[in-house]
Amino acid sequence: MRKLKSDRGIQGLIPAIVSIVFFFLIFIFFDLRVAFTALGILILFYSLAFGFWSFYKTGNYYMLVSAFYLLSLGGVMLFIKVPETLNSPAPEFPEEFKVILVFFYLMLFWLIYGFITKKFNYRGREVLELAAWDVEEGPESYTERPRPAGVVDYSKYDIIDFTNYLKRIMIGMTYQEENRVLIVPIKYGHEWGALYNPNFNYLERTWIAFDFDGQVSVHISRKDYLDYKEDLAFDHLCESMGKLFITFADFYMRGDKVRILDRLNSVKLGLFS
């Protein structure tokens, strides 16, 4: 049984909605050729803002697939030969355009594969579900104070490598401080602040901190706590979250990284979650 409320947000669809509205506005005020050109320029901007920038922030190589898909799609929009009006005859396509089209289809199939296998999805909802699976309703009230959640016996550089891996597989963003690293689980469709807001306050979010002396602590934000359907036992929830990430660390250090993804995939959320 799902512990989280359903997420019906459309944040992830905003770029597509903007593109469609933008295309039809240009078409109404100018013509079809100008509309396709303007849309191509917008999509090329998306490839930089969403694809390459996301790769820079996360280190996830599948973000490059998204970036090159958007580049090829933008190229198709720019170089396609379209009639000035809907009633004009269709023009001939040059050989160069066919090369761009082949590259576009290759990236499209790769993109679909990555989407189906959740290579692009932020996995924060799976993390919150896994942490709450064995947690029942309880009398403890919510508190903003971080809670101790266990101890690990790994070096500073092991912890940094491990948390960077969690970032690459889209569990969340990582923030290194002087004496610790924090992992902030990011839900799919809610990544915009972490990616683009220079004043993003990660300490107000849900985080799991690995101190370089081995201490593990957990902070669950009020927003994420209220996203659960029930008032769960808060101490138990924090303890469970800490144990989950300690288990992830153990998997990583043993060389069983695939087990982390197995645990996430066991939640079986939809592709848009």
Side-chain angles (χ1 to χ4, degrees), residues 119-132:
K119 302 295 186 181
F120 304 102
N121 288 27
Y122 289 88
R123 312 300 293 269
R125 286 186 67 83
E126 283 99 332
V127 166
L128 292 172
E129 284 282 6
L130 283 170

PDB file of all heavy atoms in Angstrom, residues 119-132:
ATOM      1  N   LYS A 119      16.033   6.074 -16.319  1.00  0.00           N
ATOM      2  CA  LYS A 119      17.384   6.613 -16.242  1.00  0.00           C
ATOM      3  C   LYS A 119      17.373   8.125 -16.034  1.00  0.00           C
ATOM      4  O   LYS A 119      18.353   8.695 -15.566  1.00  0.00           O
ATOM      5  CB  LYS A 119      18.166   6.298 -17.519  1.00  0.00           C
ATOM      6  CG  LYS A 119      18.277   4.820 -17.846  1.00  0.00           C
ATOM      7  CD  LYS A 119      19.086   4.064 -16.810  1.00  0.00           C
ATOM      8  CE  LYS A 119      19.300   2.621 -17.257  1.00  0.00           C
ATOM      9  NZ  LYS A 119      20.061   1.843 -16.251  1.00  0.00           N
ATOM     10  N   PHE A 120      16.262   8.782 -16.411  1.00  0.00           N
ATOM     11  CA  PHE A 120      16.173  10.232 -16.316  1.00  0.00           C
ATOM     12  C   PHE A 120      15.412  10.688 -15.072  1.00  0.00           C
ATOM     13  O   PHE A 120      15.436  11.862 -14.733  1.00  0.00           O
ATOM     14  CB  PHE A 120      15.453  10.812 -17.546  1.00  0.00           C
ATOM     15  CG  PHE A 120      16.073  10.447 -18.846  1.00  0.00           C
ATOM     16  CD1 PHE A 120      15.524   9.457 -19.637  1.00  0.00           C
ATOM     17  CD2 PHE A 120      17.211  11.094 -19.288  1.00  0.00           C
ATOM     18  CE1 PHE A 120      16.091   9.127 -20.854  1.00  0.00           C
ATOM     19  CE2 PHE A 120      17.789  10.765 -20.501  1.00  0.00           C
ATOM     20  CZ  PHE A 120      17.221   9.783 -21.286  1.00  0.00           C
ATOM     21  N   ASN A 121      14.683   9.794 -14.437  1.00  0.00           N
ATOM     22  CA  ASN A 121      13.775  10.181 -13.366  1.00  0.00           C
ATOM     23  C   ASN A 121      14.490  10.410 -12.045  1.00  0.00           C
ATOM     24  O   ASN A 121      15.311   9.594 -11.621  1.00  0.00           O
ATOM     25  CB  ASN A 121      12.706   9.092 -13.156  1.00  0.00           C
ATOM     26  CG  ASN A 121      11.695   9.052 -14.279  1.00  0.00           C
ATOM     27  OD1 ASN A 121      11.993   9.421 -15.385  1.00  0.00           O
ATOM     28  ND2 ASN A 121      10.497   8.601 -13.963  1.00  0.00           N
ATOM     29  N   TYR A 122      14.155  11.488 -11.389  1.00  0.00           N
ATOM     30  CA  TYR A 122      14.587  11.654 -10.002  1.00  0.00           C
ATOM     31  C   TYR A 122      13.781  10.687  -9.137  1.00  0.00           C
ATOM     32  O   TYR A 122      12.573  10.542  -9.306  1.00  0.00           O
ATOM     33  CB  TYR A 122      14.371  13.100  -9.554  1.00  0.00           C
ATOM     34  CG  TYR A 122      15.344  14.057 -10.200  1.00  0.00           C
ATOM     35  CD1 TYR A 122      15.052  14.648 -11.427  1.00  0.00           C
ATOM     36  CD2 TYR A 122      16.555  14.347  -9.610  1.00  0.00           C
ATOM     37  CE1 TYR A 122      15.954  15.518 -12.038  1.00  0.00           C
ATOM     38  CE2 TYR A 122      17.462  15.218 -10.202  1.00  0.00           C
ATOM     39  CZ  TYR A 122      17.150  15.791 -11.418  1.00  0.00           C
ATOM     40  OH  TYR A 122      18.049  16.641 -12.019  1.00  0.00           O
ATOM     41  N   ARG A 123      14.473  10.035  -8.192  1.00  0.00           N
ATOM     42  CA  ARG A 123      13.879   8.906  -7.485  1.00  0.00           C
ATOM     43  C   ARG A 123      13.461   9.236  -6.046  1.00  0.00           C
ATOM     44  O   ARG A 123      13.358   8.357  -5.199  1.00  0.00           O
ATOM     45  CB  ARG A 123      14.867   7.734  -7.472  1.00  0.00           C
ATOM     46  CG  ARG A 123      15.504   7.387  -8.810  1.00  0.00           C
ATOM     47  CD  ARG A 123      14.503   6.990  -9.875  1.00  0.00           C
ATOM     48  NE  ARG A 123      13.831   5.756  -9.599  1.00  0.00           N
ATOM     49  CZ  ARG A 123      14.264   4.545 -10.005  1.00  0.00           C
ATOM     50  NH1 ARG A 123      15.386   4.449 -10.692  1.00  0.00           N
ATOM     51  NH2 ARG A 123      13.566   3.457  -9.725  1.00  0.00           N
ATOM     52  N   GLY A 124      13.208  10.506  -5.773  1.00  0.00           N
ATOM     53  CA  GLY A 124      12.873  10.907  -4.407  1.00  0.00           C
ATOM     54  C   GLY A 124      11.610  10.274  -3.863  1.00  0.00           C
ATOM     55  O   GLY A 124      11.535   9.950  -2.669  1.00  0.00           O
ATOM     56  N   ARG A 125      10.605  10.078  -4.711  1.00  0.00           N
ATOM     57  CA  ARG A 125       9.367   9.474  -4.224  1.00  0.00           C
ATOM     58  C   ARG A 125       9.591   8.025  -3.811  1.00  0.00           C
ATOM     59  O   ARG A 125       9.033   7.558  -2.819  1.00  0.00           O
ATOM     60  CB  ARG A 125       8.269   9.554  -5.296  1.00  0.00           C
ATOM     61  CG  ARG A 125       7.693  10.957  -5.460  1.00  0.00           C
ATOM     62  CD  ARG A 125       6.518  10.970  -6.410  1.00  0.00           C
ATOM     63  NE  ARG A 125       5.374  10.260  -5.867  1.00  0.00           N
ATOM     64  CZ  ARG A 125       4.490  10.798  -5.011  1.00  0.00           C
ATOM     65  NH1 ARG A 125       4.645  12.032  -4.590  1.00  0.00           N
ATOM     66  NH2 ARG A 125       3.477  10.093  -4.590  1.00  0.00           N
ATOM     67  N   GLU A 126      10.405   7.298  -4.576  1.00  0.00           N
ATOM     68  CA  GLU A 126      10.724   5.926  -4.178  1.00  0.00           C
ATOM     69  C   GLU A 126      11.443   5.897  -2.833  1.00  0.00           C
ATOM     70  O   GLU A 126      11.178   5.032  -1.993  1.00  0.00           O
ATOM     71  CB  GLU A 126      11.597   5.252  -5.236  1.00  0.00           C
ATOM     72  CG  GLU A 126      10.843   4.801  -6.472  1.00  0.00           C
ATOM     73  CD  GLU A 126      10.970   5.757  -7.624  1.00  0.00           C
ATOM     74  OE1 GLU A 126      11.167   6.964  -7.380  1.00  0.00           O
ATOM     75  OE2 GLU A 126      10.875   5.310  -8.770  1.00  0.00           O
ATOM     76  N   VAL A 127      12.352   6.857  -2.612  1.00  0.00           N
ATOM     77  CA  VAL A 127      13.069   6.922  -1.339  1.00  0.00           C
ATOM     78  C   VAL A 127      12.096   7.142  -0.188  1.00  0.00           C
ATOM     79  O   VAL A 127      12.157   6.450   0.844  1.00  0.00           O
ATOM     80  CB  VAL A 127      14.122   8.055  -1.383  1.00  0.00           C
ATOM     81  CG1 VAL A 127      14.638   8.374   0.015  1.00  0.00           C
ATOM     82  CG2 VAL A 127      15.273   7.670  -2.302  1.00  0.00           C
ATOM     83  N   LEU A 128      11.172   8.078  -0.348  1.00  0.00           N
ATOM     84  CA  LEU A 128      10.208   8.368   0.720  1.00  0.00           C
ATOM     85  C   LEU A 128       9.280   7.179   0.963  1.00  0.00           C
ATOM     86  O   LEU A 128       8.901   6.899   2.099  1.00  0.00           O
ATOM     87  CB  LEU A 128       9.404   9.616   0.374  1.00  0.00           C
ATOM     88  CG  LEU A 128      10.208  10.928   0.366  1.00  0.00           C
ATOM     89  CD1 LEU A 128       9.351  12.069  -0.182  1.00  0.00           C
ATOM     90  CD2 LEU A 128      10.700  11.278   1.768  1.00  0.00           C
ATOM     91  N   GLU A 129       8.913   6.482  -0.103  1.00  0.00           N
ATOM     92  CA  GLU A 129       8.075   5.290   0.061  1.00  0.00           C
ATOM     93  C   GLU A 129       8.842   4.180   0.782  1.00  0.00           C
ATOM     94  O   GLU A 129       8.308   3.552   1.711  1.00  0.00           O
ATOM     95  CB  GLU A 129       7.601   4.781  -1.306  1.00  0.00           C
ATOM     96  CG  GLU A 129       6.489   5.591  -1.940  1.00  0.00           C
ATOM     97  CD  GLU A 129       5.109   5.296  -1.355  1.00  0.00           C
ATOM     98  OE1 GLU A 129       5.018   4.531  -0.366  1.00  0.00           O
ATOM     99  OE2 GLU A 129       4.129   5.843  -1.871  1.00  0.00           O
ATOM    100  N   LEU A 130      10.074   3.923   0.377  1.00  0.00           N
ATOM    101  CA  LEU A 130      10.858   2.868   1.009  1.00  0.00           C
ATOM    102  C   LEU A 130      11.076   3.151   2.488  1.00  0.00           C
ATOM    103  O   LEU A 130      10.997   2.239   3.326  1.00  0.00           O
ATOM    104  CB  LEU A 130      12.209   2.726   0.305  1.00  0.00           C
ATOM    105  CG  LEU A 130      12.216   2.000  -1.043  1.00  0.00           C
ATOM    106  CD1 LEU A 130      13.579   2.155  -1.713  1.00  0.00           C
ATOM    107  CD2 LEU A 130      11.883   0.524  -0.868  1.00  0.00           C
ATOM    108  N   ALA A 131      11.348   4.406   2.819  1.00  0.00           N
ATOM    109  CA  ALA A 131      11.587   4.758   4.217  1.00  0.00           C
ATOM    110  C   ALA A 131      10.350   4.530   5.075  1.00  0.00           C
ATOM    111  O   ALA A 131      10.464   4.244   6.270  1.00  0.00           O
ATOM    112  CB  ALA A 131      12.034   6.213   4.319  1.00  0.00           C
ATOM    113  N   ALA A 132       9.164   4.639   4.473  1.00  0.00           N
ATOM    114  CA  ALA A 132       7.923   4.566   5.254  1.00  0.00           C
ATOM    115  C   ALA A 132       7.261   3.202   5.222  1.00  0.00           C
ATOM    116  O   ALA A 132       6.232   3.008   5.893  1.00  0.00           O
ATOM    117  CB  ALA A 132       6.938   5.614   4.726  1.00  0.00           C
TER     118      ALA A 132
END
